[in-house]
Amino acid sequence: MRQDPPPPSPTLEDVARAAGVSRATVSRVINGIRNVDSAIQEAVRQAIATTGYVPNRAARSLVTRRTGSVALVVSGAGGDDDSFPVQVFADPFFGRVAGGIVGFLRPRGIHPVLMFAETGAARAQVLAALRQGDADGAVLVSTHAEDPLPRLLAEAGLPAVLFARPAEPVPISYVDVDHRAGAKLAADHLVARGRKQIVTISGPLDVPASQARLAGFRDAMAAHGHPYVPCAEGGFTYHSGEQAMERLLAEHPGLDGVFVANDLMAQGALLVLRHHGRAVPDDVAVVGFDDSSAATACRPALTTVRHPVEDMAAELARLLLEHIGQPGHRPTSIIFEPSLVVRDSS
């Protein structure tokens, strides 16, 4: 019995007709070009869903010499520890970054390729892969201030964007949050709650974000008449939060407020406070930073500074597509504003 041939696949022209726009506009939306009205972008996305259009990456790559994929690179510096990937996946922060990037790229038919660059050899492999065209560009999440990869990518002229401000001046686009403003929100909140003996647990002080959060918190506290804020340095991990809280309790037993530079450390700090019989928030008020899943897992639920990671990651992905589509595009920085999420810990 003769079978009818399958219907032809939807084309860019079909999407344009369904959306009521030009073929060029559809192409700009699919490729993440910035200056398209948001209502038009939504109309195009609905038309893509209605028609079932799928970009033909293989055909496009023959013309554009692009793969239609990007690298999501998680990079450290100076380590030879095989547990590095395990540590990355255990951190809820990375999951939020990856979710924001995938959420932006997936509707555009682009899927990131995960690469790790925790050693010199691994960084060389990433650079070689990008030079050879295995991916069209890279979104870089760097976990160490001394990481040379942002500079190496910039010097190689490869399309790349960075999550968070680089530790040294590098001509590379990045997206970050205003850490100082977030820390000020925490200081203002603790003072408004009537806390007098306030301490802080910082992140690793070789990381620019940690430096900015500590400086912003101390500046805000000084404006409230607190010229000195005791600090214990942590490592952005649950265990380091426990250790830092133990030190601060031993040195400042009368403390009644704590600003912790991320939620994972705050979770560890809350456990220590409970172990020492300190009721939260009655005896000690605690504020974290990030508004990650750790904040709602805390008992009591953690008041925290919201770090809009998913939105930042999506913007980073959009920015990378802009660099890929417009070679030689000038590096730019985009800074998001934080907000305070008040829960039961303060």
Side-chain angles (χ1 to χ4, degrees):
M1 181 177 178
R2 181 182 174 187
Q3 292 184 341
D4 293 331
S9 299
T11 66
L12 213 61
E13 288 77 9
D14 295 328
V15 176
R17 278 194 296 272
V21 299
S22 69
R23 184 183 188 280
T25 298
V26 173
S27 179
R28 291 171 70 82
V29 172
I30 290 173
N31 287 292
I33 303 303
R34 187 172 190 174
N35 57 343
V36 179
D37 182 80
S38 59
I40 293 176
Q41 291 184 40
E42 182 58 30
V44 170
R45 292 188 188 113
Q46 289 181 2
I48 290 171
T50 301
T51 60
Y53 173 74
V54 177
N56 188 331
R57 296 292 173 186
R60 182 180 298 177
S61 67
L62 293 174
V63 177
T64 64
R65 298 184 182 275
R66 296 179 190 160
T67 65
S69 66
V70 300
L72 171 54
V73 182
V74 185
S75 179
D80 293 300
D81 189 352
D82 291 338
S83 68
F84 181 73
V86 176
Q87 295 170 3
V88 169
F89 286 123
D91 190 336
F93 181 83
F94 174 74
R96 295 177 67 194
V97 173
I101 291 169
V102 171
F104 181 87
L105 294 177
R106 189 177 179 186
R108 293 160 176 81
I110 301 172
H111 299 279
V113 178
L114 182 61
M115 298 181 180
F116 293 101
E118 75 277 24
T119 66
R123 284 190 288 275
Q125 290 176 349
V126 169
L127 288 167
L130 292 170
R131 286 192 176 106
Q132 292 166 7
D134 293 349
D136 298 326
V139 175
L140 176 60
V141 181
S142 185
T143 63
H144 199 287
E146 297 177 4
D147 183 9
L149 193 52
R151 174 179 48 79
L152 294 172
L153 289 167
E155 290 174 350
L158 295 165
V161 293
L162 178 63
F163 193 101
R165 187 190 309 265
E168 61 179 31
V170 176
I172 188 170
S173 292
Y174 67 86
V175 173
D176 207 347
V177 70
D178 190 336
H179 299 281
R180 284 177 172 265
K184 182 180 185 301
L185 291 174
D188 293 347
H189 178 75
L190 288 169
V191 170
R193 288 292 190 268
R195 305 302 158 146
K196 304 297 184 184
Q197 299 187 53
I198 300 172
V199 301
T200 185
I201 298 173
S202 77
L205 292 177
D206 60 346
V207 175
S210 300
Q211 297 168 7
R213 291 177 194 181
L214 178 59
F217 188 71
R218 281 180 163 162
D219 285 350
M221 291 300 297
H224 286 295
H226 296 260
Y228 172 67
V229 178
C231 175
E233 183 179 357
F236 282 151
T237 65
Y238 180 94
H239 184 55
S240 70
E242 289 181 302
Q243 293 177 318
M245 193 72 255
E246 289 282 7
R247 291 197 301 272
L248 288 169
L249 278 172
E251 296 168 8
H252 308 278
L255 64 87
D256 62 0
V258 189
F259 168 52
V260 191
N262 85 331
D263 294 342
L264 267 183
M265 293 193 299
Q267 195 173 24
L270 285 170
L271 179 66
V272 169
L273 289 168
R274 185 161 60 248
H275 176 74
H276 284 271
R278 304 295 181 92
V280 176
D282 294 341
D283 299 329
V284 182
V286 180
V287 178
F289 200 113
D290 282 343
D291 195 26
S292 67
S293 58
T296 52
C298 286
R299 293 295 177 269
L302 183 67
T303 294
T304 185
V305 177
R306 174 154 177 77
H307 190 175
V309 173
E310 293 85 356
D311 293 340
M312 293 165 62
E315 181 65 10
L316 201 62
R318 186 205 61 76
L319 195 56
L320 177 61
L321 295 190
E322 197 168 87
H323 280 285
I324 292 170
Q326 303 175 37
H329 189 69
R330 181 179 63 84
T332 187
S333 56
I334 300 171
I335 308 298
F336 280 69
E337 288 300 317
S339 58
L340 186 71
V341 180
V342 179
R343 297 192 179 97
D344 298 334
S345 69
S346 65

PDB file of all heavy atoms in Angstrom, residues 72-100:
ATOM      1  N   LEU A  72      29.721  25.607  28.443  1.00  0.00           N
ATOM      2  CA  LEU A  72      29.562  26.089  29.816  1.00  0.00           C
ATOM      3  C   LEU A  72      30.786  25.602  30.574  1.00  0.00           C
ATOM      4  O   LEU A  72      30.921  24.408  30.855  1.00  0.00           O
ATOM      5  CB  LEU A  72      28.279  25.566  30.442  1.00  0.00           C
ATOM      6  CG  LEU A  72      28.076  25.823  31.942  1.00  0.00           C
ATOM      7  CD1 LEU A  72      28.216  27.301  32.276  1.00  0.00           C
ATOM      8  CD2 LEU A  72      26.718  25.294  32.402  1.00  0.00           C
ATOM      9  N   VAL A  73      31.701  26.516  30.855  1.00  0.00           N
ATOM     10  CA  VAL A  73      33.001  26.160  31.428  1.00  0.00           C
ATOM     11  C   VAL A  73      33.017  26.523  32.907  1.00  0.00           C
ATOM     12  O   VAL A  73      32.787  27.682  33.275  1.00  0.00           O
ATOM     13  CB  VAL A  73      34.148  26.888  30.702  1.00  0.00           C
ATOM     14  CG1 VAL A  73      35.496  26.457  31.277  1.00  0.00           C
ATOM     15  CG2 VAL A  73      34.099  26.617  29.202  1.00  0.00           C
ATOM     16  N   VAL A  74      33.283  25.545  33.755  1.00  0.00           N
ATOM     17  CA  VAL A  74      33.462  25.786  35.184  1.00  0.00           C
ATOM     18  C   VAL A  74      34.948  25.672  35.465  1.00  0.00           C
ATOM     19  O   VAL A  74      35.556  24.631  35.259  1.00  0.00           O
ATOM     20  CB  VAL A  74      32.672  24.777  36.034  1.00  0.00           C
ATOM     21  CG1 VAL A  74      32.781  25.140  37.512  1.00  0.00           C
ATOM     22  CG2 VAL A  74      31.224  24.732  35.602  1.00  0.00           C
ATOM     23  N   SER A  75      35.526  26.781  35.917  1.00  0.00           N
ATOM     24  CA  SER A  75      36.978  26.862  35.993  1.00  0.00           C
ATOM     25  C   SER A  75      37.444  27.198  37.403  1.00  0.00           C
ATOM     26  O   SER A  75      36.811  27.978  38.113  1.00  0.00           O
ATOM     27  CB  SER A  75      37.475  27.942  35.018  1.00  0.00           C
ATOM     28  OG  SER A  75      38.878  28.072  35.071  1.00  0.00           O
ATOM     29  N   GLY A  76      38.551  26.590  37.798  1.00  0.00           N
ATOM     30  CA  GLY A  76      39.243  26.927  39.038  1.00  0.00           C
ATOM     31  C   GLY A  76      40.673  27.272  38.724  1.00  0.00           C
ATOM     32  O   GLY A  76      41.028  27.505  37.568  1.00  0.00           O
ATOM     33  N   ALA A  77      41.534  27.271  39.734  1.00  0.00           N
ATOM     34  CA  ALA A  77      42.939  27.592  39.499  1.00  0.00           C
ATOM     35  C   ALA A  77      43.822  26.790  40.427  1.00  0.00           C
ATOM     36  O   ALA A  77      43.583  26.707  41.623  1.00  0.00           O
ATOM     37  CB  ALA A  77      43.206  29.081  39.729  1.00  0.00           C
ATOM     38  N   GLY A  78      44.828  26.163  39.844  1.00  0.00           N
ATOM     39  CA  GLY A  78      45.874  25.538  40.634  1.00  0.00           C
ATOM     40  C   GLY A  78      45.515  24.235  41.278  1.00  0.00           C
ATOM     41  O   GLY A  78      46.263  23.713  42.098  1.00  0.00           O
ATOM     42  N   GLY A  79      44.379  23.636  40.929  1.00  0.00           N
ATOM     43  CA  GLY A  79      43.981  22.403  41.593  1.00  0.00           C
ATOM     44  C   GLY A  79      44.232  21.181  40.747  1.00  0.00           C
ATOM     45  O   GLY A  79      44.207  21.232  39.539  1.00  0.00           O
ATOM     46  N   ASP A  80      44.496  20.054  41.368  1.00  0.00           N
ATOM     47  CA  ASP A  80      44.622  18.780  40.677  1.00  0.00           C
ATOM     48  C   ASP A  80      43.706  17.750  41.337  1.00  0.00           C
ATOM     49  O   ASP A  80      43.961  16.561  41.319  1.00  0.00           O
ATOM     50  CB  ASP A  80      46.076  18.286  40.726  1.00  0.00           C
ATOM     51  CG  ASP A  80      46.999  19.172  39.912  1.00  0.00           C
ATOM     52  OD1 ASP A  80      46.772  19.298  38.708  1.00  0.00           O
ATOM     53  OD2 ASP A  80      47.941  19.735  40.497  1.00  0.00           O
ATOM     54  N   ASP A  81      42.608  18.220  41.908  1.00  0.00           N
ATOM     55  CA  ASP A  81      41.739  17.378  42.715  1.00  0.00           C
ATOM     56  C   ASP A  81      40.654  16.775  41.827  1.00  0.00           C
ATOM     57  O   ASP A  81      39.860  17.495  41.211  1.00  0.00           O
ATOM     58  CB  ASP A  81      41.105  18.227  43.832  1.00  0.00           C
ATOM     59  CG  ASP A  81      40.363  17.386  44.841  1.00  0.00           C
ATOM     60  OD1 ASP A  81      40.206  16.177  44.612  1.00  0.00           O
ATOM     61  OD2 ASP A  81      39.951  17.961  45.859  1.00  0.00           O
ATOM     62  N   ASP A  82      40.606  15.431  41.770  1.00  0.00           N
ATOM     63  CA  ASP A  82      39.602  14.765  40.958  1.00  0.00           C
ATOM     64  C   ASP A  82      38.188  15.013  41.472  1.00  0.00           C
ATOM     65  O   ASP A  82      37.210  14.736  40.768  1.00  0.00           O
ATOM     66  CB  ASP A  82      39.867  13.254  40.926  1.00  0.00           C
ATOM     67  CG  ASP A  82      41.121  12.898  40.144  1.00  0.00           C
ATOM     68  OD1 ASP A  82      41.528  13.733  39.307  1.00  0.00           O
ATOM     69  OD2 ASP A  82      41.687  11.811  40.374  1.00  0.00           O
ATOM     70  N   SER A  83      38.059  15.520  42.691  1.00  0.00           N
ATOM     71  CA  SER A  83      36.735  15.754  43.262  1.00  0.00           C
ATOM     72  C   SER A  83      36.140  17.081  42.821  1.00  0.00           C
ATOM     73  O   SER A  83      35.003  17.399  43.188  1.00  0.00           O
ATOM     74  CB  SER A  83      36.802  15.724  44.796  1.00  0.00           C
ATOM     75  OG  SER A  83      37.523  16.834  45.290  1.00  0.00           O
ATOM     76  N   PHE A  84      36.855  17.861  42.012  1.00  0.00           N
ATOM     77  CA  PHE A  84      36.364  19.179  41.616  1.00  0.00           C
ATOM     78  C   PHE A  84      34.977  19.113  40.986  1.00  0.00           C
ATOM     79  O   PHE A  84      34.080  19.867  41.385  1.00  0.00           O
ATOM     80  CB  PHE A  84      37.360  19.846  40.670  1.00  0.00           C
ATOM     81  CG  PHE A  84      36.949  21.226  40.214  1.00  0.00           C
ATOM     82  CD1 PHE A  84      37.013  22.309  41.076  1.00  0.00           C
ATOM     83  CD2 PHE A  84      36.490  21.444  38.925  1.00  0.00           C
ATOM     84  CE1 PHE A  84      36.631  23.581  40.661  1.00  0.00           C
ATOM     85  CE2 PHE A  84      36.111  22.697  38.500  1.00  0.00           C
ATOM     86  CZ  PHE A  84      36.185  23.766  39.360  1.00  0.00           C
ATOM     87  N   PRO A  85      34.725  18.229  39.993  1.00  0.00           N
ATOM     88  CA  PRO A  85      33.366  18.166  39.441  1.00  0.00           C
ATOM     89  C   PRO A  85      32.325  17.811  40.493  1.00  0.00           C
ATOM     90  O   PRO A  85      31.198  18.330  40.451  1.00  0.00           O
ATOM     91  CB  PRO A  85      33.482  17.078  38.363  1.00  0.00           C
ATOM     92  CG  PRO A  85      34.925  17.056  37.988  1.00  0.00           C
ATOM     93  CD  PRO A  85      35.649  17.338  39.275  1.00  0.00           C
ATOM     94  N   VAL A  86      32.657  16.932  41.425  1.00  0.00           N
ATOM     95  CA  VAL A  86      31.714  16.547  42.473  1.00  0.00           C
ATOM     96  C   VAL A  86      31.368  17.763  43.333  1.00  0.00           C
ATOM     97  O   VAL A  86      30.198  17.998  43.666  1.00  0.00           O
ATOM     98  CB  VAL A  86      32.300  15.417  43.345  1.00  0.00           C
ATOM     99  CG1 VAL A  86      31.353  15.081  44.491  1.00  0.00           C
ATOM    100  CG2 VAL A  86      32.579  14.190  42.492  1.00  0.00           C
ATOM    101  N   GLN A  87      32.367  18.566  43.676  1.00  0.00           N
ATOM    102  CA  GLN A  87      32.137  19.759  44.473  1.00  0.00           C
ATOM    103  C   GLN A  87      31.232  20.741  43.743  1.00  0.00           C
ATOM    104  O   GLN A  87      30.357  21.369  44.346  1.00  0.00           O
ATOM    105  CB  GLN A  87      33.475  20.421  44.806  1.00  0.00           C
ATOM    106  CG  GLN A  87      34.375  19.582  45.696  1.00  0.00           C
ATOM    107  CD  GLN A  87      35.784  20.166  45.793  1.00  0.00           C
ATOM    108  OE1 GLN A  87      36.055  21.226  45.232  1.00  0.00           O
ATOM    109  NE2 GLN A  87      36.669  19.460  46.467  1.00  0.00           N
ATOM    110  N   VAL A  88      31.449  20.870  42.442  1.00  0.00           N
ATOM    111  CA  VAL A  88      30.635  21.793  41.648  1.00  0.00           C
ATOM    112  C   VAL A  88      29.177  21.371  41.668  1.00  0.00           C
ATOM    113  O   VAL A  88      28.269  22.177  41.919  1.00  0.00           O
ATOM    114  CB  VAL A  88      31.172  21.867  40.200  1.00  0.00           C
ATOM    115  CG1 VAL A  88      30.183  22.614  39.298  1.00  0.00           C
ATOM    116  CG2 VAL A  88      32.534  22.551  40.173  1.00  0.00           C
ATOM    117  N   PHE A  89      28.904  20.093  41.405  1.00  0.00           N
ATOM    118  CA  PHE A  89      27.522  19.622  41.343  1.00  0.00           C
ATOM    119  C   PHE A  89      26.849  19.658  42.711  1.00  0.00           C
ATOM    120  O   PHE A  89      25.614  19.728  42.794  1.00  0.00           O
ATOM    121  CB  PHE A  89      27.470  18.211  40.771  1.00  0.00           C
ATOM    122  CG  PHE A  89      27.709  18.158  39.279  1.00  0.00           C
ATOM    123  CD1 PHE A  89      28.725  17.394  38.744  1.00  0.00           C
ATOM    124  CD2 PHE A  89      26.916  18.896  38.408  1.00  0.00           C
ATOM    125  CE1 PHE A  89      28.954  17.352  37.380  1.00  0.00           C
ATOM    126  CE2 PHE A  89      27.127  18.862  37.043  1.00  0.00           C
ATOM    127  CZ  PHE A  89      28.141  18.085  36.522  1.00  0.00           C
ATOM    128  N   ALA A  90      27.627  19.603  43.796  1.00  0.00           N
ATOM    129  CA  ALA A  90      27.052  19.639  45.139  1.00  0.00           C
ATOM    130  C   ALA A  90      26.647  21.053  45.558  1.00  0.00           C
ATOM    131  O   ALA A  90      25.923  21.227  46.541  1.00  0.00           O
ATOM    132  CB  ALA A  90      28.047  19.064  46.148  1.00  0.00           C
ATOM    133  N   ASP A  91      27.090  22.066  44.828  1.00  0.00           N
ATOM    134  CA  ASP A  91      26.828  23.457  45.184  1.00  0.00           C
ATOM    135  C   ASP A  91      25.536  23.926  44.517  1.00  0.00           C
ATOM    136  O   ASP A  91      25.447  23.940  43.287  1.00  0.00           O
ATOM    137  CB  ASP A  91      27.999  24.334  44.721  1.00  0.00           C
ATOM    138  CG  ASP A  91      27.918  25.748  45.258  1.00  0.00           C
ATOM    139  OD1 ASP A  91      26.801  26.200  45.585  1.00  0.00           O
ATOM    140  OD2 ASP A  91      28.962  26.412  45.346  1.00  0.00           O
ATOM    141  N   PRO A  92      24.511  24.309  45.296  1.00  0.00           N
ATOM    142  CA  PRO A  92      23.255  24.749  44.682  1.00  0.00           C
ATOM    143  C   PRO A  92      23.418  25.978  43.813  1.00  0.00           C
ATOM    144  O   PRO A  92      22.624  26.211  42.897  1.00  0.00           O
ATOM    145  CB  PRO A  92      22.348  25.030  45.886  1.00  0.00           C
ATOM    146  CG  PRO A  92      23.262  25.221  47.050  1.00  0.00           C
ATOM    147  CD  PRO A  92      24.443  24.344  46.773  1.00  0.00           C
ATOM    148  N   PHE A  93      24.453  26.764  44.055  1.00  0.00           N
ATOM    149  CA  PHE A  93      24.684  27.962  43.257  1.00  0.00           C
ATOM    150  C   PHE A  93      24.923  27.591  41.794  1.00  0.00           C
ATOM    151  O   PHE A  93      24.350  28.197  40.884  1.00  0.00           O
ATOM    152  CB  PHE A  93      25.887  28.730  43.818  1.00  0.00           C
ATOM    153  CG  PHE A  93      26.205  30.005  43.079  1.00  0.00           C
ATOM    154  CD1 PHE A  93      25.512  31.170  43.366  1.00  0.00           C
ATOM    155  CD2 PHE A  93      27.175  30.040  42.105  1.00  0.00           C
ATOM    156  CE1 PHE A  93      25.791  32.350  42.699  1.00  0.00           C
ATOM    157  CE2 PHE A  93      27.467  31.211  41.427  1.00  0.00           C
ATOM    158  CZ  PHE A  93      26.773  32.361  41.720  1.00  0.00           C
ATOM    159  N   PHE A  94      25.761  26.574  41.544  1.00  0.00           N
ATOM    160  CA  PHE A  94      26.037  26.182  40.165  1.00  0.00           C
ATOM    161  C   PHE A  94      24.777  25.671  39.482  1.00  0.00           C
ATOM    162  O   PHE A  94      24.542  25.936  38.300  1.00  0.00           O
ATOM    163  CB  PHE A  94      27.124  25.107  40.103  1.00  0.00           C
ATOM    164  CG  PHE A  94      27.328  24.567  38.707  1.00  0.00           C
ATOM    165  CD1 PHE A  94      27.978  25.320  37.743  1.00  0.00           C
ATOM    166  CD2 PHE A  94      26.825  23.324  38.366  1.00  0.00           C
ATOM    167  CE1 PHE A  94      28.133  24.838  36.452  1.00  0.00           C
ATOM    168  CE2 PHE A  94      26.977  22.829  37.073  1.00  0.00           C
ATOM    169  CZ  PHE A  94      27.632  23.586  36.115  1.00  0.00           C
ATOM    170  N   GLY A  95      23.944  24.951  40.220  1.00  0.00           N
ATOM    171  CA  GLY A  95      22.699  24.466  39.640  1.00  0.00           C
ATOM    172  C   GLY A  95      21.815  25.604  39.170  1.00  0.00           C
ATOM    173  O   GLY A  95      21.167  25.519  38.113  1.00  0.00           O
ATOM    174  N   ARG A  96      21.789  26.700  39.916  1.00  0.00           N
ATOM    175  CA  ARG A  96      20.990  27.861  39.526  1.00  0.00           C
ATOM    176  C   ARG A  96      21.578  28.533  38.286  1.00  0.00           C
ATOM    177  O   ARG A  96      20.831  28.966  37.394  1.00  0.00           O
ATOM    178  CB  ARG A  96      20.925  28.857  40.683  1.00  0.00           C
ATOM    179  CG  ARG A  96      20.190  28.326  41.908  1.00  0.00           C
ATOM    180  CD  ARG A  96      20.227  29.348  43.038  1.00  0.00           C
ATOM    181  NE  ARG A  96      19.451  30.536  42.699  1.00  0.00           N
ATOM    182  CZ  ARG A  96      19.524  31.682  43.376  1.00  0.00           C
ATOM    183  NH1 ARG A  96      20.354  31.789  44.408  1.00  0.00           N
ATOM    184  NH2 ARG A  96      18.791  32.716  43.018  1.00  0.00           N
ATOM    185  N   VAL A  97      22.911  28.628  38.222  1.00  0.00           N
ATOM    186  CA  VAL A  97      23.550  29.208  37.037  1.00  0.00           C
ATOM    187  C   VAL A  97      23.234  28.367  35.799  1.00  0.00           C
ATOM    188  O   VAL A  97      22.812  28.881  34.762  1.00  0.00           O
ATOM    189  CB  VAL A  97      25.079  29.308  37.232  1.00  0.00           C
ATOM    190  CG1 VAL A  97      25.752  29.760  35.935  1.00  0.00           C
ATOM    191  CG2 VAL A  97      25.422  30.276  38.360  1.00  0.00           C
ATOM    192  N   ALA A  98      23.433  27.054  35.927  1.00  0.00           N
ATOM    193  CA  ALA A  98      23.188  26.167  34.790  1.00  0.00           C
ATOM    194  C   ALA A  98      21.725  26.212  34.363  1.00  0.00           C
ATOM    195  O   ALA A  98      21.411  26.238  33.165  1.00  0.00           O
ATOM    196  CB  ALA A  98      23.593  24.740  35.152  1.00  0.00           C
ATOM    197  N   GLY A  99      20.805  26.258  35.344  1.00  0.00           N
ATOM    198  CA  GLY A  99      19.391  26.317  35.021  1.00  0.00           C
ATOM    199  C   GLY A  99      19.024  27.574  34.248  1.00  0.00           C
ATOM    200  O   GLY A  99      18.232  27.521  33.297  1.00  0.00           O
ATOM    201  N   GLY A 100      19.583  28.712  34.648  1.00  0.00           N
ATOM    202  CA  GLY A 100      19.298  29.962  33.945  1.00  0.00           C
ATOM    203  C   GLY A 100      19.826  29.958  32.528  1.00  0.00           C
ATOM    204  O   GLY A 100      19.174  30.457  31.593  1.00  0.00           O
TER     205      GLY A 100
END
